[in-house]
């Protein structure tokens, strides 16, 4: 839309400039043509007097000399004809009267020369005028002049080029100084709505746009967007509250159930105690699921502020805690890498992903890397275990998903779902893929602080050193 508006505004400005330039250059061309015509018409009238005297006295030699001097000075070819269109005298240019019959006929009819149309750069190189020779009402000849138009056409071409250059300069200045700011002002509500939509898509459900700015159509669109955002936020809040309430309400009965089973198991024989032990393990599993659901509900319900987080420092600190559990844990992180996120997002991500690595890739090397991009900071965890099938990749991170080969491994299937909820709330993204070779790669993409912020300036200063 921005490009279209700029094109339309530029075209409108171009049409306006053309509407101004065309009358100006037309007036200038007419004035220069009129000046040339008036000057040559005066000379032509003088030459008709000289030619009339020469025809009456028969002194044609002096007339030829006069015509030759005139052509030498002004470059105009001349010829004098009598009433029968026979050439009486001519300048060295040898103008053929038969080539301009209309001008000759008009002059012999006693009429003066017609005023020419404006001379343009693409006009003919010469212009022919003729004046009658006579006394009283009798016409006994005509003087024909072929006038060069080159100087006038060159002058008009120069002025046209100057006007076009000036118009182009004005067009560029107007485009930069008027069209671009005007289009930016017109599209400002659209840009705000687009930015708000992007923020909401990244999980910021508190995003709203001003509904009292811009044209009526955009104000209605902004109001509709705010209403939609209210409904989405309310729906997600109610869903999170339902999960949290259900998890909380299930916690007490599960605790009471476990205590009763433990009491029964204490006085039971070995066979019954073994069965009750299975019940206890399932009860513990159900308790872990309820606790995970409670954590997930709290993540989705709470609005933790986004702050600058040194991802590299947080990774080194958390990996140091996990070193005893993972024999071959490799960390590759710069001295500092700041991203905009919640304060605990790095700990939540590493705890869940490294815990999965200990269960699903036991004994295999695990690599943790922090990669800096122009606008993002990526936290990458890769293990060299068996990985998961390609068909299961799109399902990773869904609630309660567990691969077919991992059904008997201890876990709830909510770890990566909680990680995804934390990452989305931080405005980031979670990507799970199977890298070349073996294993599984989990990539968390976090945004850098906005340019001009204090965190961004600290990063810039660090990079400079």
């Amino acid at each position: 839309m921005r490009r279209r508006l700029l094109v339309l505004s530029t075209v409108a400005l171009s049409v306006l400039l053309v509407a101004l330039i065309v009358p100006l250059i037309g007036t200038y061309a007419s004035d220069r043509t009129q000046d040339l015509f008036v000057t040559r018409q005066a000379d032509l009238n003088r030459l008709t007097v000289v030619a009339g005297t020469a025809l009456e006295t028969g002194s044609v030699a002096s007339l030829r000399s006069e015509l030759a001097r005139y052509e030498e000075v002004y470059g105009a070819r001349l010829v004098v004809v009598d009433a029968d269109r026979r050439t009486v005298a001519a300048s060295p240019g040898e103008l053929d009267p038969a080539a301009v019959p209309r001008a000759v006929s008009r002059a012999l009819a006693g009429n003066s020369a017609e005023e020419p149309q404006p001379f343009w750069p693409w006009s003919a190189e010469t212009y022919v005028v003729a004046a009658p020779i006579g006394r009283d009402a009798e016409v006994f000849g005509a003087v024909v002049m072929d006038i060069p138009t080159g100087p006038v056409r060159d002058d008009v071409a120069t002025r046209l080029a100057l006007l076009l250059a000036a118009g182009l300069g004005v067009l560029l200045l107007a485009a930069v100084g008027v069209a671009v700011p005007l289009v930016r002002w017109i599209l400002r509500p659209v840009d705000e709505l687009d930015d708000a939509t992007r923020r909401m898509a990244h999980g910021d459900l508190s995003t709203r746009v001003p509904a009292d700015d811009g044209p009526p159509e955009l104000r209605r669109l902004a109001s509709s967007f705010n209403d939609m955002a209210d409904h989405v936020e309310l729906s997600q809040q109610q869903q999170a509250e339902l999960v949290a309430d259900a998890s909380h309400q299930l916690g007490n009965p599960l605790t009471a159930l476990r205590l009763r089973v433990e009491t029964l198991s204490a006085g039971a024989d070995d066979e019954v105690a073994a069965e009750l032990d299975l019940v206890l393990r399932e009860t513990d599993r159900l308790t872990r699921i309820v606790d995970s659901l409670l954590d997930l509900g709290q993540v989705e319900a709470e609005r933790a502020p986004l702050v600058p987080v040194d991802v590299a420092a947080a990774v080194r600190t958390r990996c140091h805690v996990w070193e005893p559990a993972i024999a071959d844990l490799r960390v590759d992180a710069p001295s500092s890498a700041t991203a905009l996120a919640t304060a605990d997002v790095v700990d939540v991500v590493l705890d869940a992903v490294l815990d999965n690595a200990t269960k699903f890739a036991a004994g295999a090397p695990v690599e943790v890397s922090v990669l800096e991009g122009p606008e993002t900071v990526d936290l990458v965890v890769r293990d060299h275990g068996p990985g998961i099938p390609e068909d299961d990749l799109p399902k990773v991170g869904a609630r309660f998903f567990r691969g077919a080969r991992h059904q008997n491994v201890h876990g709830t299937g909510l770890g990566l779902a909680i990680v995804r909820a934390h990452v989305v709330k931080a405005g980031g993204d979670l990507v799970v893929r199977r890298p070349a070779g073996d294993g599984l790669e989990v990539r968390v993409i976090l945004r850098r602080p906005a340019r001009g912020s204090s965190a961004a300036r600290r990063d810039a200063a660090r990079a400079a050193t």
Side-chain angles (χ1 to χ4, degrees):
M1 182 182 292
R2 187 184 304 275
R3 187 181 296 109
R4 292 179 181 178
L5 286 176
L6 284 174
V7 170
L8 288 176
S9 59
T10 302
V11 170
L13 287 172
S14 301
V15 171
L16 178 61
L17 287 173
V18 169
L20 294 174
I21 290 174
V22 169
L24 287 175
I25 193 62
T27 301
Y28 183 76
S30 298
D31 291 343
R32 292 291 289 115
T33 302
Q34 185 67 20
D35 290 343
L36 178 64
F37 174 74
V38 170
T39 302
R40 296 295 174 261
Q41 184 66 41
D43 295 342
L44 192 62
N45 292 335
R46 180 180 63 81
L47 290 172
T48 58
V49 174
V50 175
T53 303
L55 290 176
E56 289 177 345
T57 62
S59 177
V60 180
S62 61
L63 177 60
R64 290 195 185 96
S65 177
E66 181 71 20
L67 298 181
R69 285 197 303 270
Y70 191 89
E71 181 179 357
E72 182 181 357
V73 174
Y74 296 105
R77 295 179 297 174
L78 294 159
V79 64
V80 178
V81 298
D82 59 15
D84 296 326
R85 300 176 183 262
R86 294 191 298 267
T87 301
V88 177
S91 66
E94 297 183 358
L95 174 64
D96 184 5
V100 286
R102 185 172 183 274
V104 174
S105 298
R106 182 180 177 85
L108 293 177
N111 298 317
S112 59
E114 292 180 301
E115 292 189 10
Q117 294 297 319
F119 296 143
W120 297 103
W122 51 87
S123 300
E125 295 182 358
T126 60
Y127 171 69
V128 177
V129 294
I133 303 172
R135 181 173 288 109
D136 298 329
E138 182 182 4
V139 176
F140 48 84
V143 178
V144 184
M145 179 184 293
D146 190 11
I147 306 171
T149 61
V152 175
R153 291 186 293 110
D154 292 344
D155 196 11
V156 173
T158 301
R159 183 60 59 93
L160 179 60
L162 290 175
L163 285 175
L164 290 177
L168 181 60
V170 171
L171 180 63
L172 292 176
L173 290 176
V176 175
V178 177
V180 173
L182 180 62
V183 170
R184 187 183 296 118
W185 176 74
I186 292 174
L187 293 181
R188 181 165 53 84
V190 179
D191 291 338
E192 291 176 351
L193 186 60
D194 178 65
D195 182 63
T197 305
R198 292 176 184 274
R199 292 201 305 271
M200 175 165 283
H202 283 89
D204 186 3
L205 299 183
S206 63
T207 300
R208 300 294 184 273
V209 293
D212 55 354
D213 191 15
E217 296 81 3
L218 289 179
R219 289 201 296 268
R220 289 196 297 270
L221 182 60
S223 298
S224 299
F225 175 85
N226 291 338
D227 292 340
M228 178 198 69
D230 290 338
H231 290 306
V232 171
E233 186 177 22
L234 178 61
S235 176
Q236 184 158 349
Q237 183 178 358
Q238 290 174 341
Q239 178 183 358
E241 290 175 353
L242 175 63
V243 173
D245 291 342
S247 301
H248 181 72
Q249 293 299 324
L250 287 173
N252 291 333
L254 285 173
T255 302
L257 177 62
R258 194 180 198 288
L259 290 175
R260 185 173 293 275
V261 172
E262 287 179 346
T263 301
L264 292 175
S265 179
D269 56 30
D270 293 341
E271 184 177 354
V272 174
E275 294 296 328
L276 292 176
D277 187 54
L278 292 175
V279 175
L280 283 175
R281 286 200 293 270
E282 289 301 315
T283 303
D284 291 339
R285 180 173 178 272
L286 184 58
T287 301
R288 289 194 299 272
I289 293 175
V290 170
D291 291 340
S292 297
L293 286 174
L294 181 60
D295 292 339
L296 186 60
Q298 289 175 344
V299 171
E300 294 177 343
E302 294 177 354
R303 292 183 182 176
L306 300 183
V307 296
V309 176
D310 189 344
V311 178
V315 164
R316 284 191 293 270
T317 301
R318 203 62 192 167
C319 286
H320 181 69
V321 176
W322 277 92
E323 283 178 354
I326 302 175
D328 191 0
L329 180 60
R330 308 166 188 173
V331 179
D332 181 14
S335 59
S336 178
T338 303
L340 199 62
T342 54
D344 59 345
V345 67
V346 175
D347 292 351
V348 171
V349 169
L350 289 180
D351 286 346
V353 177
L354 293 179
D355 180 62
N356 285 344
T358 61
K359 291 185 293 186
F360 305 126
V366 178
E367 302 168 357
V368 181
S369 306
V370 177
L371 307 176
E372 294 183 279
E375 298 181 356
T376 61
V377 175
D378 294 0
L379 170 56
V380 183
V381 180
R382 178 191 174 173
D383 64 59
H384 290 267
I388 62 175
E390 290 287 343
D391 294 341
D392 288 344
L393 281 177
K395 306 174 187 177
V396 175
R399 296 176 183 179
F400 299 108
F401 170 74
R402 293 169 64 82
R405 68 175 66 166
H406 301 139
Q407 291 295 323
N408 296 324
V409 180
H410 172 76
T412 63
L414 288 172
L416 285 181
I418 294 175
V419 169
R420 185 182 295 277
H422 275 275
V423 172
V424 170
K425 187 170 66 173
D429 196 9
L430 177 69
V431 178
V432 180
R433 71 182 190 92
R434 187 183 180 93
D438 56 3
L440 184 70
E441 178 184 287
V442 178
R443 180 182 295 262
V444 174
I445 304 171
L446 300 173
R447 292 178 297 162
R448 281 186 175 277
R451 292 175 180 173
S453 64
S454 58
R457 288 192 295 269
R458 287 197 300 270
D459 270 7
R462 176 179 59 81
T465 58

